[in-house]
Amino acid sequence: MIQNTEKLETRQSRPAGDGSEIEITLGLLNAVGENSAVTQRSIARDLDIALGLANAYLKRCVRKGLIKVNQAPRNRYAYYLTPSGFAEKSRLTSTYLLNSFNFFRQARRQCSDVFAVCAEKGWERVALAGCSDVTEIATLCARENNIEIVGIVDDMTLSDDDSGRAEYVGLPVAANLSDLGNKVKAVLVTDTSRPQEIFDRLSKSVPADRILTIALLNISREQPKFAED
């Protein structure tokens, strides 16, 4: 049953606990990142919160420098993520995922879907980018789909004296994709602390269609639209 506008404006706000604040802020940043013409009313409806609460969170994000507001024709406003807002969206995604009860189930389903596509395309040798819980889940799903994980790219896991000998969940860890050999067909982003940064870095040397992502990590495959100065 669809709630009318009056109910949206008058119903009680959800509790202001840390989990709710993360969820609301992340939802707001996602909405602005996807559509600069988004309205406060649509944000309130999509996040299932009161209109006044949506307004308060939007003002807070503007005050923190995460969102910039530009005047649009006909007394409307356009909202844009700033570089800081884009970075905060990525950080909050990681925090929300790690606290999500359904994290494992969703990650396993999405990784399985990705590897099923790899199997169809004949991409049997795949590398992972990042060491995290998603990495462990991905290794399980890969075996179920007859995909070989050749190794992991993660420069943060390596220390100065590792020289490429580090391992994670039984897989070799390298600082660069080229260190894993030239038979890697695709790369799946599994880093949960900086997924967008990893994707952007891979995009400089790997064809976009060979960089695999899962929806849980909230990675944008397009360059973000920042506000103009």
Side-chain angles (χ1 to χ4, degrees):
M1 179 178 177
I2 301 177
Q3 294 174 298
N4 61 36
T5 302
E6 292 181 356
K7 290 183 179 179
L8 281 172
E9 294 184 13
T10 59
R11 68 168 174 263
Q12 292 294 320
S13 302
R14 66 176 70 182
D18 291 343
S20 294
E21 290 188 6
I22 291 175
E23 185 177 356
I24 294 172
T25 304
L26 178 57
L28 177 59
L29 295 177
N30 280 333
V32 172
E34 293 171 1
N35 179 15
S36 61
V38 69
T39 66
Q40 295 181 31
R41 193 175 300 280
S42 66
I43 291 173
R45 180 182 64 247
D46 293 343
L47 299 184
D48 193 29
I49 59 176
L51 182 58
L53 187 61
N55 177 269
Y57 270 82
L58 182 58
K59 288 182 177 179
R60 180 188 299 179
C61 288
V62 171
R63 192 164 55 248
K64 289 183 175 180
L66 306 179
I67 292 175
K68 186 172 182 178
V69 186
N70 287 342
Q71 182 80 41
R74 298 182 181 180
N75 294 321
R76 299 181 65 87
Y77 297 94
Y79 303 99
Y80 298 92
L81 290 184
T82 64
S84 295
F86 197 80
E88 179 69 356
K89 181 167 75 76
S90 181
R91 186 190 71 80
L92 289 179
T93 296
S94 173
T95 301
Y96 177 72
L97 287 179
L98 294 178
N99 293 328
S100 174
F101 178 77
N102 294 319
F103 171 70
F104 178 85
R105 183 177 62 184
Q106 294 182 51
R108 180 158 188 162
R109 183 181 69 251
Q110 292 176 16
C111 285
S112 291
D113 290 344
V114 166
F115 289 134
V117 172
C118 288
E120 291 177 1
K121 293 179 177 290
W123 299 346
E124 298 177 348
R125 293 171 59 85
V126 176
L128 305 179
C131 296
S132 70
D133 290 342
V134 174
T135 309
E136 299 182 44
I137 295 170
T139 58
L140 296 175
C141 298
R143 288 195 290 267
E144 296 171 354
N145 289 276
N146 296 318
I147 299 296
E148 178 186 357
I149 303 298
V150 298
I152 304 168
V153 182
D154 191 339
D155 55 359
M156 292 186 67
T157 301
L158 296 171
S159 61
D160 293 338
D161 59 353
D162 276 328
S163 302
R165 295 190 299 272
E167 288 190 355
Y168 186 79
V169 293
L171 294 169
V173 179
N176 302 293
L177 184 60
S178 58
D179 296 333
L180 298 177
N182 58 6
K183 294 184 179 181
V184 176
K185 299 299 184 181
V187 186
L188 172 62
V189 178
T190 53
D191 191 295
T192 57
S193 63
R194 47 178 186 150
Q196 188 68 52
E197 177 186 336
I198 297 299
F199 176 85
D200 293 342
R201 184 185 302 180
L202 287 171
S203 298
K204 297 178 180 178
S205 59
V206 180
D209 65 326
R210 300 298 178 108
I211 306 175
L212 311 174
T213 60
I214 60 175
L216 269 176
L217 297 185
N218 197 27
I219 295 172
S220 173
R221 302 186 69 89
E222 300 179 357
Q223 286 297 108
K225 296 179 180 180
F226 298 135
E228 297 181 359
D229 294 331

